[in-house]
Amino acid sequence: MSNPPVPESEHCLVVADRLEAADGVASLTLRLPNDGPLPQWEPGAHVELLLDDGLVRTYSLCGDPHDRSSWRIGVLRTEDSRGGSAYVHDKLHVGGRVRVRGPRNNFGLTPARRYLFVAGGIGITPILPMVAAAESAGAKWQLLYGGRSRSSMAFIDELARYGDAVTVRPQDRFGLLDLDGFLGEPDDEALVYCCGPEPLLAAVEERCRAWRPGALRVERFRAKEQEAPAESADFDVVCSRSALTVRVTPDQSVLQAVRAAGVTALSSCAEGICGTCETEVLEGAPDHRDSVLSAEERASGETMMICVSRARTPRLVLDL
């Protein structure tokens, strides 16, 4: 058996307030039952709600990072809900309790002289504290915020205080977002942050191909479609801390294989989008199949998401 990984902070929180932030969007304020301080977090962080029947769902923190008395999340009821958003909307009312794990941050705000923020729909949630941080730091910034209709777009009232720095463009009035006009020419002093549905992310990624490496940061709600694995054969995973070598077959993930061998490994989404299972790679070349790591992080090969990523070499040595 390996030494168990250090568990992330987990709390039983109370729903202290609940508002309808927009059509189909519930804004929940969560506190500790004793009103004690919650762990610190930075813009871009998310938490995991541990719901009934083993459901685990990830939601961005969208409140004030300096206010440790509460956490705020915004949850969209999705038409194709797999149970998470429906549970939050139907069962989490004021006074209700929910287990929450985190925070974790795979979408951190890097210091820059200028920011271009693009948000689509509920993708505004991680962007809200980012624009507040950029404003506080004195950086130049602009936000382009789109959605199906104005009534479906959450937190517009909060953004009004920023004036012309925020451009709100509901699709039923303006059509698709003018990304060419907003992003313009590549700017070596700017970073682009984008969160929203996959078509928006793909469009922004395409327009930022000419920008310098690392200039674009995105966060996904669903796993990005991947090509076929680089290798389809079995490979070995050496778990360095547990002195075990585990064979991973084509129909298994690394996570499944090591857990079956008795190795403790943290995981949550099992889709390569939350970052919980990120593991250090000591030897070998991973075949990255996640939706978290940047191109530069993938090229370094220093870590991998073992719930979905595989191997390009016959052997991987992992810090497990």
Side-chain angles (χ1 to χ4, degrees), residues 5-308:
V6 177
E8 292 183 291
S9 176
E10 186 175 312
H11 305 274
C12 180
L13 302 184
V14 176
V15 180
D17 192 19
R18 171 175 166 146
L19 300 171
E20 295 305 310
D23 292 346
V25 179
S27 171
L28 274 62
T29 300
L30 308 173
R31 297 179 184 270
L32 285 167
N34 64 358
D35 290 328
L38 288 162
Q40 292 181 322
W41 61 279
E42 296 181 351
H46 65 256
V47 293
E48 295 170 346
L49 268 57
L50 312 181
L51 308 174
D52 289 350
D53 300 324
L55 284 176
V56 180
R57 294 294 181 265
T58 300
Y59 299 106
S60 297
L61 291 171
C62 59
D64 180 359
H66 299 101
D67 179 8
R68 297 185 60 188
S69 69
S70 66
W71 285 341
R72 186 178 70 167
I73 59 173
V75 181
L76 170 69
R77 182 193 283 273
T78 58
E79 295 180 0
D80 59 346
S81 172
R82 295 170 293 170
S85 70
Y87 183 99
V88 172
H89 277 259
D90 296 339
K91 298 184 179 181
L92 283 186
H93 302 290
V94 173
R97 299 198 176 200
V98 61
R99 287 188 302 135
V100 182
R101 184 165 57 208
R104 168 182 287 269
N105 200 341
N106 304 314
F107 194 44
L109 186 67
T110 300
R113 296 187 63 179
R114 180 173 179 243
Y115 298 97
L116 294 173
F117 298 109
V118 182
I122 198 62
I124 191 62
T125 50
I127 301 297
L128 273 179
M130 289 186 175
V131 299
E135 179 78 2
S136 178
K140 296 180 180 179
W141 65 273
Q142 292 175 284
L143 165 62
L144 179 62
Y145 179 18
R148 296 188 308 277
S149 64
R150 188 177 180 90
S151 65
S152 72
M153 299 169 66
F155 307 114
I156 287 180
D157 290 346
E158 292 185 23
L159 292 166
R161 64 190 178 100
Y162 297 117
D164 293 341
V166 176
T167 302
V168 176
R169 288 291 183 266
Q171 187 174 350
D172 61 353
R173 288 189 56 199
F174 296 94
L176 296 177
L177 294 178
D178 179 13
L179 296 176
D180 291 327
F182 181 71
L183 295 172
E185 295 297 320
D187 181 345
D188 288 342
E189 294 188 338
L191 292 177
V192 180
Y193 280 81
C194 180
C195 185
E198 185 58 36
L200 174 63
L201 299 182
V204 172
E205 286 176 329
E206 177 62 31
R207 286 161 176 80
C208 287
R209 291 190 189 281
W211 289 58
R212 71 188 189 284
L216 172 62
R217 318 290 173 86
V218 302
E219 184 164 67
R220 287 181 155 82
F221 300 133
R222 299 285 179 91
K224 186 177 182 179
E225 186 174 346
Q226 303 286 340
E227 298 178 354
E231 300 291 340
S232 59
D234 295 1
F235 60 93
D236 288 330
V237 168
V238 179
C239 303
S240 64
R241 286 190 281 115
S242 56
L244 283 177
T245 298
V246 179
R247 176 59 58 92
V248 181
T249 61
D251 61 343
Q252 285 180 305
S253 68
V254 173
L255 177 67
Q256 291 169 333
V258 299
R259 280 184 169 175
V263 177
T264 302
L266 293 177
S267 175
S268 178
C269 71
E271 298 178 4
I273 58 175
C274 74
T276 303
C277 70
E278 185 171 6
T279 302
E280 185 179 357
V281 179
L282 305 178
E283 292 182 29
D287 176 17
H288 296 292
R289 305 183 58 75
D290 64 275
S291 302
V292 176
L293 297 176
S294 67
E296 294 73 26
E297 289 168 331
R298 288 184 172 211
S300 74
E302 294 177 356
T303 67
M304 65 184 290
M305 306 301 161
I306 62 173
C307 68
V308 291

